[in-house]
């Protein structure tokens, strides 16, 4: 199978070479390897000696390839399998539910917005929940922290320009209160933004032993003037080790960061602030600004270690189960903590 590679500026120049021996002589940023039948990047398989798009093969032999129950339920390949290779942190994006995606896509089609317009929000009518499985140590942010925990972190920063915002949020610890706090924070400008970021930098330098503020410091090295640097104080910071997986639900703000180079993305503030504005207005409402349980450690609800050959990682979305085919049995098949790492996984739609 020949799989397309998406070249985004946050991609790695050598990860696919190290993992799979894929050459990259031009040293381009190879961000995602796609395996699936997506119209924007379809895999090809060899049929009678000729390369054939996987989408065409499934269209002609859907039941034989996917099985009767899967084809009847989804009408095609129900997932896109990606290998993500991040050199920099990805931007914060909030994916819609299926109903929101269908409504938003139809609305933008009716408005005549070109499918490739940079300001278009819905390029297809599918929701995009994700199940992330770590091949290497990986750091991520997933969902909003407990409201009280957010307040504690901002009180540690003690930025004078943020004090009124923090006080208002403390008096209204609700989804609406978080939406207003989030929007006000991400739209800071001028001296208020500069003094807030200066206070954040001082706090992060002082408390660098804390995982959250260590991440903030890493992000400062690339984007020192981006107000999105406050994101780790708002979102749960999670470290994934090889063989662990985490579910990213629709409406939940995620951000994925490399373990050794946590870098913010230039679009962080623009995208996050835009989502917050729409959340407050109600139009195109996507983000769910509710608090989620802290997800630090191997035993967190959405952070699952591999159970070995035949084990299945299941999540809330029936399209995104994974089943282990082979488990590492030698020293090379263990992570830095000595835990076995699964090398082969099969996407497994639920029956």
């Amino acid at each position: 199978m020949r799989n397309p590679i998406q070249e985004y500026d946050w991609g790695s120049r050598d990860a696919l070479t190290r993992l799979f021996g894929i050459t990259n002589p031009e040293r381009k940023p190879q961000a995602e390897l796609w395996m699936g039948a997506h119209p924007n990047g379809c895999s090809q398989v060899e049929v009678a000696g000729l390369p054939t798009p996987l989408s065409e093969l499934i269209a002609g032999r859907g039941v034989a390839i996917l099985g009767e129950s899967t084809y009847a339920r989804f009408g095609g390949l129900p997932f896109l399998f990606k290998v993500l290779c991040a050199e920099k942190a990805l931007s914060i994006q909030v994916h819609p539910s299926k109903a929101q995606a269908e409504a938003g896509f139809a609305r933008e089609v009716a408005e005549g917005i070109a499918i490739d317009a940079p300001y278009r929000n819905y390029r297809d009518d599918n929701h995009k929940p994700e199940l992330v499985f770590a091949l290497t140590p990986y750091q991520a942010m997933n969902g909003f922290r407990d409201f009280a925990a957010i307040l504690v972190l901002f009180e540690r920063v003690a930025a004078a320009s943020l004090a009124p915002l923090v006080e208002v949020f403390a008096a209204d610890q609700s989804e609406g209160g978080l939406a207003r706090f989030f929007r006000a924070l991400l739209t800071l400008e001028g001296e208020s933004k500069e003094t807030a970021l200066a206070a954040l930098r001082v706090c992060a330098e002082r408390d660098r032993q804390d995982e959250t503020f260590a991440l903030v410091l890493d992000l400062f090295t690339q984007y020192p003037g981006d107000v999105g640097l406050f994101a780790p104080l708002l979102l749960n910071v999670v470290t994934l080790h090889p063989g662990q997986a985490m579910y990213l639900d629709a409406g939940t703000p995620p951000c994925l960061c490399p373990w050794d180079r946590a870098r913010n993305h230039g679009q962080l503030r623009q995208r996050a602030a835009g989502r917050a504005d729409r959340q407050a207005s109600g139009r195109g409402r996507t983000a769910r600004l509710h608090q989620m349980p802290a997800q630090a450690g191997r035993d967190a609800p959405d952070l699952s270690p591999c159970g070995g050959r035949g084990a299945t990682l299941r999540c809330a979305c029936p399209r995104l189960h994974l089943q282990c085919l082979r488990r590492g049995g030698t020293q090379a098949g263990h992570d830095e903590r000595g835990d076995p790492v699964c090398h082969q996984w099969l996407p497994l739609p639920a029956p």
Side-chain angles (χ1 to χ4, degrees):
M1 187 158 59
R2 300 175 185 175
N3 303 300
I5 297 174
Q6 306 295 337
E7 298 171 352
Y8 307 136
D9 63 354
W10 49 264
S12 171
R13 288 168 170 78
D14 61 1
L16 288 178
T17 301
R18 288 185 286 107
L19 285 171
F20 307 116
I22 297 174
T23 59
N24 184 19
E26 298 182 24
R27 300 284 293 171
K28 294 182 177 180
Q30 297 178 322
E32 299 179 356
L33 184 147
W34 285 16
M35 289 177 274
H38 196 282
N40 293 336
C42 183
S43 298
Q44 292 189 334
V45 294
E46 192 171 296
V47 178
L50 298 175
T52 303
L54 182 59
S55 56
E56 291 185 11
L57 194 64
I58 293 175
R61 302 175 55 195
V63 173
I65 294 173
L66 300 178
E68 186 174 352
S69 62
T70 297
Y71 189 72
R73 183 172 184 179
F74 299 110
L77 190 66
F79 60 84
L80 175 62
F81 190 97
K82 299 181 181 181
V83 178
L84 268 63
C85 303
E87 187 79 12
K88 306 175 184 178
L90 282 66
S91 59
I92 293 179
Q93 303 179 38
V94 182
H95 292 156
S97 67
K98 179 63 173 172
Q100 290 167 333
E102 290 174 346
F105 181 75
R107 182 176 62 249
E108 292 185 339
V109 168
E111 292 174 353
I113 301 176
I115 197 70
D116 58 350
Y119 52 89
R120 186 179 180 115
N121 288 312
Y122 300 92
R123 301 188 188 280
D124 58 55
D125 62 357
N126 281 317
H127 59 331
K128 294 174 177 62
E130 298 176 345
L131 178 61
V132 178
F133 179 84
L135 297 175
T136 63
Y138 224 74
Q139 201 165 36
M141 291 180 279
N142 183 12
F144 286 98
R145 294 175 182 266
D146 179 88
F147 298 156
I150 293 174
L151 287 169
V152 167
L153 290 171
F154 275 89
E155 288 167 358
R156 285 170 65 179
V157 173
S161 59
L162 296 182
L165 305 182
V166 173
E167 184 178 349
V168 170
F169 179 39
D172 182 14
Q173 296 182 45
S174 65
E175 292 187 23
L178 177 59
R180 287 182 285 274
F181 178 67
F182 190 41
R183 182 175 63 251
L185 179 67
L186 293 178
T187 54
L188 284 173
E189 295 182 347
E191 185 178 354
S192 295
K193 186 183 84 168
E194 292 176 7
T195 57
L197 288 174
L200 177 63
R201 181 66 179 261
V202 170
C203 180
E205 292 280 3
R206 183 191 67 223
D207 296 339
R208 62 174 63 217
Q209 74 285 353
D210 184 298
E211 180 184 43
T212 296
F213 290 105
L215 176 57
V216 169
L217 275 183
D218 284 338
L219 297 176
F220 255 112
T221 62
Q222 184 72 14
Y223 297 98
D226 193 329
V227 74
L229 292 164
F230 282 102
L233 278 64
L234 293 160
L235 305 176
N236 292 302
V237 176
V238 182
T239 297
L240 297 174
H241 294 280
Q244 290 184 312
M246 181 174 66
Y247 178 56
L248 307 175
D249 199 3
T252 300
C255 181
L256 305 180
C257 315
W259 172 264
D260 56 347
R261 292 187 183 178
R263 297 282 192 266
N264 202 355
H265 190 285
Q267 296 179 323
L268 174 60
R269 181 191 173 205
Q270 175 186 353
R271 289 188 177 183
R275 295 296 187 190
D277 287 341
R278 284 193 291 276
Q279 162 72 14
S281 68
R283 174 177 168 82
R285 181 172 181 149
T286 300
R288 290 181 291 150
L289 281 80
H290 63 274
Q291 53 194 352
M292 290 178 58
Q295 296 179 18
R298 293 168 57 84
D299 298 326
D302 293 324
L303 193 62
S304 306
C306 168
R309 178 179 174 84
T312 301
L313 290 175
R314 300 187 182 275
C315 61
C317 179
R319 298 171 182 241
L320 297 179
H321 298 338
L322 286 174
Q323 186 176 71
C324 177
L325 298 183
R326 181 167 66 89
R327 187 174 185 175
T330 65
Q331 185 175 0
H334 291 70
D335 64 19
E336 73 283 357
R337 298 173 305 170
D339 292 335
V341 175
C342 286
H343 294 299
Q344 296 182 356
W345 285 82
L346 173 70
L348 182 70

